[in-house]
Amino acid sequence: MGLKKSFRYRINFFLELIGFIFPLTIQYFLWTGVFSASGNNITFGYTLNQMLAYSIFACLTSRIISSNFVYEINSDIKEGGLAKYLIRPVNYFSYNLFSYLGEKIGTIITSLIMILVLCVIFYTISSNIISISHIILYLITLILSLILNFYIYYCISELGFWMKDASGAIFITTLVGNIVSGGIFPLDIFGDMVKSILTFLPFSYTSYFPVSILCNTMEYSQILKGICMQILWIFIFVIITPRLWGVGIKKYVAIGG
C-alpha cells in the first residue's frame, strides 16, 4: 500500500528529491562562513570537510527516517477515519508500520545511492572521513533508527486522543525533534553539557548517532554503546506504545469518517 502511494505521487517524490539541495546550499555557505570567520581549521571538534559531510549525510538520513504518517493518524483520530479500521480485522499499528516502510522504499534507494556516491567523493578528499567499516555500521544503525523514529512519532501522533487537533503540536515536536536529533547540524555545537542531556533522549539515536558513525567521529566503544541505546529505546517504546494507545482509544469518539 505504502509503495503504491509512493509511486502514485512520484512527481512530489522527485520534487522532494530536488528540494533537499536548497538546505544543503544554505549549510554550505553557513559553515564555510563560520570556519572562515573563526580562522580555525577545527570548530566544534570538526574540520570543514567533516562538517560539510555531516550536514549532507544528516540531510539525507533525515529524508530516510522522516515520519509524515503522523498527520494521517491525527486526521484519522480527528475526523473519525480510525473507526473503519477498528471494525475491520486490521491491526492499525501494523498497517501504519508497513505503509511507512513501503513509502520509504523509493526514498531509501535514492538516498543510499547518493550517500554511497558522496562517500566515494569524500574518501578521495580525505580517507579519514569515510571508511568501509563505518559505512556498514551506518547501515545497521540506520535500520534501527528507522524503527525507533517510527515508534517515537507514532507515540506523538497518539496525542490526537487528548487534543482537539494535534497537528500544531505535531508540527512543533517534529521541528524541535529534527534539531535535537542532529538532523540539521551536529549536537556538538550545543556544548558538552547540553549534548550529554540530549544523548539521554531517543531523538539523538535517530540521526546524530548513525551520521556520526558514517563521518568517522565515534570510537568503536561509543558505537557499541549507541547501538545498545537504540535497542533499549526501541524496547521501551514497544512497551509504551500499545499501553498509550489502549488509554487513548477509550477516549476516542468517532465523528464523521
Side-chain angles (χ1 to χ4, degrees):
M1 181 68 71
L3 182 59
K4 289 181 179 178
K5 190 186 295 184
S6 176
F7 285 113
R8 187 185 307 158
Y9 301 106
R10 54 186 177 273
I11 295 177
N12 290 341
F13 170 78
F14 286 113
L15 286 175
E16 181 188 348
L17 185 63
I18 296 171
F20 95 100
I21 296 174
F22 179 68
L24 286 183
T25 305
I26 295 175
Q27 291 268 35
Y28 172 78
F29 286 109
L30 170 66
W31 291 116
T32 51
V34 169
F35 275 84
S36 177
S38 68
N40 298 320
N41 292 327
I42 297 179
T43 301
F44 303 117
Y46 291 77
T47 64
L48 177 58
N49 287 335
Q50 285 178 322
M51 187 64 78
L52 292 176
Y54 182 95
S55 299
I56 293 171
F57 292 138
C59 183
L60 289 168
T61 300
S62 294
R63 286 186 69 250
I64 292 173
I65 67 171
S66 61
S67 307
N68 294 327
F69 68 88
V70 290
Y71 291 101
E72 295 180 16
I73 295 177
N74 177 59
S75 178
D76 282 342
I77 295 173
K78 183 181 68 172
E79 299 175 6
L82 178 61
K84 65 184 178 184
Y85 296 99
L86 298 178
I87 62 175
R88 295 175 183 174
V90 177
N91 185 293
Y92 189 70
F93 174 85
S94 299
Y95 167 78
N96 278 283
L97 175 60
F98 288 107
S99 292
Y100 168 71
L101 295 175
E103 288 178 17
K104 288 294 173 186
I105 290 178
T107 302
I108 290 172
I109 292 173
T110 54
S111 296
L112 287 180
I113 290 173
M114 294 174 71
I115 286 172
L116 290 174
V117 170
L118 289 166
C119 282
V120 173
I121 294 172
F122 279 112
Y123 185 81
T124 58
I125 296 173
S126 174
S127 58
N128 293 326
I129 299 179
I130 304 294
S131 70
I132 299 298
S133 61
H134 285 84
I135 293 175
I136 295 171
L137 287 168
Y138 166 78
L139 294 174
I140 293 171
T141 55
L142 181 64
I143 295 171
L144 294 173
S145 297
L146 200 63
I147 297 171
L148 177 57
N149 206 58
F150 174 83
Y151 270 105
I152 290 172
Y153 285 96
Y154 191 87
C155 282
I156 291 173
S157 69
E158 292 175 346
L159 289 172
F161 288 120
W162 290 274
M163 302 176 70
K164 188 173 182 180
D165 184 2
S167 57
I170 290 171
F171 174 78
I172 294 172
T173 306
T174 302
L175 180 62
V176 174
N178 195 30
I179 295 172
V180 300
S181 69
I184 300 176
F185 35 69
L187 301 183
D188 306 81
I189 71 169
F190 293 112
D192 293 336
M193 187 177 74
V194 176
K195 178 186 172 184
S196 63
I197 295 172
L198 294 177
T199 51
F200 276 108
L201 302 176
F203 296 99
S204 64
Y205 297 99
T206 60
S207 292
Y208 174 73
F209 175 59
V211 175
S212 293
I213 292 174
L214 190 58
C215 293
N216 198 11
T217 58
M218 280 193 170
E219 301 292 335
Y220 283 106
S221 59
Q222 293 175 304
I223 294 173
L224 179 60
K225 179 183 176 182
I227 291 174
C228 290
M229 288 299 293
Q230 283 185 309
I231 295 171
L232 175 62
W233 274 114
I234 290 172
F235 179 73
I236 291 172
F237 277 107
V238 166
I239 295 173
I240 291 175
T241 302
R243 284 164 174 73
L244 191 61
W245 181 268
V247 175
I249 203 69
K250 292 177 182 178
K251 297 178 175 291
Y252 176 68
V253 178
I255 301 175

